Amino acid sequence: SSAEPILTVNNIEVIYDDVILVLRGVSLSVPQGEIVTLLGPNGAGKSTTLKAISGLLRTENGRVTRGEITFMGESIANADPETIVRKGIFQVMEGRRIVEDMTVIENLRLGAFTRRDGAKAIKSDLDMVLDYFPRLRERTGLAGYLSGGEQQMLAIGRAMMARPKLILLDEPSMGLSPLLVKEVFSIIRTLNRELGITLLLVEQNAKMALGAASTGYIMESGKVVLDGPAASLMDNEDVKEFYLGGG
Ligand code: ATP
């Protein structure tokens, strides 16, 4: 890719609880303005890679014990999550961690918690997010009553409220119907295209993910085993057999 990397992960090792070695030297690069996807079987270490980048690893007693993570030229490995959010990285966790007993608007405002640019800018972004997700505008009750698809959209909208440069998205298609998966992916592409947000996307749905991404990485057992342009991964025989349902 011709674009400069906004994020570089260089040979990181991650250990949980001081003993459990989960990432064994993972390297990847995310070009500015692009969508990159991270694929692989359950337990390969995809979520751990995202948490290492966002700093959320700390909340699970995990640590980067070797290697480097560089975001916009600055080292961020083992920095605290709030510092990382302020630098412009926001992670949307697996399973749509919205706050069920708060309203849609309250959930969206949570995304802006680290911002210091004032109520007016935040209100204007709130309107922008609701323009991207018109269905959320109609939902005035508690977020717990939203459908699965609406909750996923709310989780993405909340990330947008942080004005991130990079969104880390963990399995946005999880538990959604095929129609909603399409809708969520269409929103992901729109955010990338219209707002210039760079995305690193972990997915089980390899077909949708490679369709949206410029580059893909495939992980197994804590390592990257294959990477390349998304289009060539889609043509790769192993990828077809193991990840694209026999192609
Ligand atoms: P999945 O799709 O199942 O989330 P994944 O590729 O995202 O898979 P991870 O969730 O990163 O994989 O898990 C990688 C390995 O790390 C697994 O063996 C898992 O059991 C282990 N692991 C994950 N979180 C922790 C934790 N907090 N403490 C100890 N081990 C963990």
Side-chain angles (χ1 to χ4, degrees):
S1 174
S2 53
E4 284 290 305
I6 189 169
L7 175 82
T8 317
V9 173
N10 186 13
N11 202 24
I12 59 166
E13 183 180 88
V14 164
I15 295 183
Y16 285 109
D17 302 325
D18 293 324
V19 286
I20 310 164
L21 175 63
V22 167
L23 299 189
R24 311 153 181 272
V26 170
S27 298
L28 57 88
S29 170
V30 180
Q32 163 90 50
E34 296 190 8
I35 301 176
V36 171
T37 188
L38 196 52
L39 307 170
N42 286 332
K46 306 180 298 296
S47 299
T48 298
T49 303
L50 294 191
K51 288 176 198 162
I53 298 165
S54 65
L56 291 173
L57 202 57
R58 282 178 152 214
T59 64
E60 297 184 21
N61 202 22
R63 235 158 45 83
V64 178
T65 49
R66 196 157 62 85
E68 259 310 322
I69 304 176
T70 309
F71 180 65
M72 297 176 75
E74 286 184 276
S75 170
I76 56 165
N78 295 317
D80 72 278
E82 193 172 325
T83 303
I84 294 174
V85 169
R86 281 186 206 284
K87 287 185 193 296
I89 300 180
F90 201 100
Q91 178 169 1
V92 178
M93 302 271 273
E94 188 176 334
R96 323 181 264 274
R97 310 276 176 85
I98 57 144
V99 185
E100 299 195 341
D101 59 2
M102 288 172 75
T103 66
V104 164
I105 303 289
E106 285 165 347
N107 267 278
L108 289 175
R109 283 188 176 281
L110 281 182
F113 78 104
T114 59
R115 285 175 58 174
R116 293 186 175 141
D117 52 350
K120 209 172 154 191
I122 289 169
K123 176 72 179 70
S124 129
D125 280 1
L126 197 57
D127 284 337
M128 183 233 1
V129 169
L130 291 170
D131 286 343
Y132 274 94
F133 302 99
R135 236 196 290 172
L136 293 182
R137 207 187 270 286
E138 297 157 17
R139 300 288 184 269
T140 51
L142 296 180
Y145 295 113
L146 298 176
S147 70
E150 290 165 348
Q151 290 188 13
Q152 184 62 65
M153 290 177 196
L154 179 56
I156 296 172
R158 186 173 56 186
M160 290 164 69
M161 289 301 296
R163 284 220 178 185
K165 298 181 178 74
L166 170 67
I167 294 182
L168 310 174
L169 209 46
D170 200 347
E171 294 200 33
S173 77
M174 194 171 67
L176 301 185
S177 69
L179 196 68
L180 277 169
V181 170
K182 275 196 176 168
E183 211 173 308
V184 165
F185 269 88
S186 145
I187 283 165
I188 290 169
R189 288 169 189 253
T190 305
L191 295 184
N192 171 252
R193 198 179 52 238
E194 294 182 1
L195 300 176
I197 299 175
T198 308
L199 288 122
L200 177 57
L201 174 64
V202 162
E203 255 304 332
Q204 294 288 334
N205 191 327
K207 200 169 181 175
M208 291 300 288
L210 289 173
S214 61
T215 308
Y217 288 83
I218 298 181
M219 286 184 72
E220 280 170 22
S221 311
K223 287 190 157 175
V224 173
V225 292
L226 187 64
D227 70 273
S232 56
L233 289 179
M234 273 193 276
D235 283 336
N236 178 292
E237 290 306 321
D238 290 338
V239 175
K240 277 188 192 167
E241 183 177 348
F242 295 112
Y243 298 103
L244 299 172

